[in-house]
Amino acid sequence: MIDLDISFFIQLANFIITLLVLNLLMFRPIREIIRKRSQLMSDQLSDVENFTASADLKVKDYEAALDGTRREGMEIRNDFKEQGAKEEQALLSGAGKVAATTMKDARAEVASEKGAALKVLDGEIEAFAQKVTAKVLG
């Protein structure tokens, strides 16, 4: 069995004094350092989260601006295509009119030359007929 004599109380007092001294010299400063480190980590974590949120927002704004610029560029390109198509149509229409006028003039010229040739040949038909008849009859 355990005897509770004066040495037990001396050992108990020694343990309590050692515990108090260790608490003052070691445990309390370590707990303070751990608390400061924890506070620093949470502050840095909130700074990192704020920075990340800010960076995400800036990236989203950049992408939105980039998409807007791309759409604007596409609209400008489509406008230029439409203008080019209209100018092409106008040029082709003008060239078609010029070609039609040239063809009409050429046909009229050919028709007038044909008429002149027929008049000349009409006048010479009688002479050709007599020559053919003379050759055939001998």
Side-chain angles (χ1 to χ4, degrees), residues 52-119:
T52 303
S54 174
D56 287 343
L57 182 64
K58 287 179 182 179
V59 165
K60 287 179 183 176
D61 289 343
Y62 173 75
E63 288 175 353
L66 190 61
D67 288 341
T69 304
R70 283 182 182 149
R71 275 194 300 277
E72 197 174 304
M74 291 285 283
E75 289 173 4
I76 290 171
R77 187 178 73 182
N78 290 338
D79 288 345
F80 280 143
K81 279 185 177 181
E82 288 175 11
Q83 287 176 357
K86 287 178 183 176
E87 287 180 20
E88 178 185 19
Q89 193 66 26
L91 287 173
L92 289 175
S93 174
K97 288 178 183 176
V98 168
T101 304
T102 304
M103 287 292 289
K104 184 178 177 184
D105 291 345
R107 284 185 181 147
E109 184 179 337
V110 168
S112 68
E113 288 177 2
K114 176 184 167 187
L118 284 175
K119 284 181 186 177

Side-chain angles (χ1 to χ4, degrees), residues 101-137:
T101 304
T102 304
M103 287 292 289
K104 184 178 177 184
D105 291 345
R107 284 185 181 147
E109 184 179 337
V110 168
S112 68
E113 288 177 2
K114 176 184 167 187
L118 284 175
K119 284 181 186 177
V120 169
L121 287 176
D122 279 345
E124 295 177 359
I125 286 179
E126 189 66 32
F128 286 140
Q130 287 177 0
K131 281 183 185 179
V132 169
T133 306
K135 283 188 180 185
V136 170
L137 295 176

